[in-house]
Amino acid sequence: FSGAKRRHLERAERTLKQAASRGQSVAAIGSADYPASLAAIYDPPPVLFYRGSLASGARRVAIVGARGATPAGRSLARDLAQGLSAQGIEVVSGLARGIDGTAHEGALSGPSTTLAVLGSSVDIIYPGEHKALAGRIEARGAVISELPPGTQSGQNGLWGVW
């Protein structure tokens, strides 16, 4: 390998070791664990870091909304997610305050799984008050990110931090 290719390979190897040491799994596009529906979108992330399981095979519906949601909005999100879960549909959201966290709670009150897609790496749960919720999601779905270990919220884009 040339010098530049060798450095990229070494960086990738360090990142994989760091992910493993932090209890994270890694799925590359085209691998068995990588969600087929995500691979089919325009410009999918080449790699996902995750805790939990991506292997549900269920149909998925995303529920996202305001962080400063009203009680009525939260109630609707919870009921909708619970109903979807009861039908075997996996709920996908962002683990943010408000609608996102409430949707995960609703999904977990039913029998199906839920996926939390983060804007930080999976070892940095934000907001902090959702750490316990993230743990429950890992047990019944997955917490996922395209960002490598140690990446704070607000550092945009995978390639910007590599």
Side-chain angles (χ1 to χ4, degrees):
F1 291 112
S2 70
K5 286 184 181 180
R6 181 172 301 127
R7 284 190 302 276
H8 288 294
L9 181 58
E10 289 169 356
R11 179 182 289 167
E13 288 173 345
R14 281 192 311 270
T15 300
L16 291 173
K17 286 178 184 175
Q18 187 179 35
S21 74
R22 295 179 185 202
Q24 299 174 26
S25 298
V26 180
I29 194 165
S31 68
D33 286 343
Y34 197 97
S37 57
L38 183 59
I41 69 168
Y42 175 77
D43 198 23
V47 176
L48 295 176
F49 298 88
Y50 66 97
R51 289 184 178 154
S53 174
L54 298 175
S56 78
R59 294 176 296 160
R60 294 182 172 106
V61 171
I63 299 175
V64 295
R67 287 178 175 84
T70 64
R74 286 177 181 259
S75 179
L76 179 61
R78 183 178 297 107
D79 292 347
L80 179 59
Q82 186 176 26
L84 290 167
S85 181
Q87 297 299 313
I89 298 172
E90 186 170 65
V91 173
V92 180
S93 199
L95 199 64
R97 292 180 183 99
I99 296 298
D100 293 23
T102 302
H104 290 300
E105 293 282 358
L108 290 169
S109 70
S112 194
T113 57
T114 185
L115 295 178
V117 181
L118 304 184
S120 62
S121 59
V122 300
D123 56 324
I124 301 175
I125 301 299
Y126 181 83
E129 67 260 23
H130 283 180
K131 286 182 181 177
L133 176 58
R136 291 177 32 231
I137 292 168
E138 290 173 21
R140 291 256 317 275
V143 174
I144 68 175
S145 178
E146 69 178 284
L147 301 173
T151 306
Q152 297 281 335
S153 177
Q155 291 178 325
N156 295 328
L158 176 63
W159 303 116
V161 296
W162 277 66

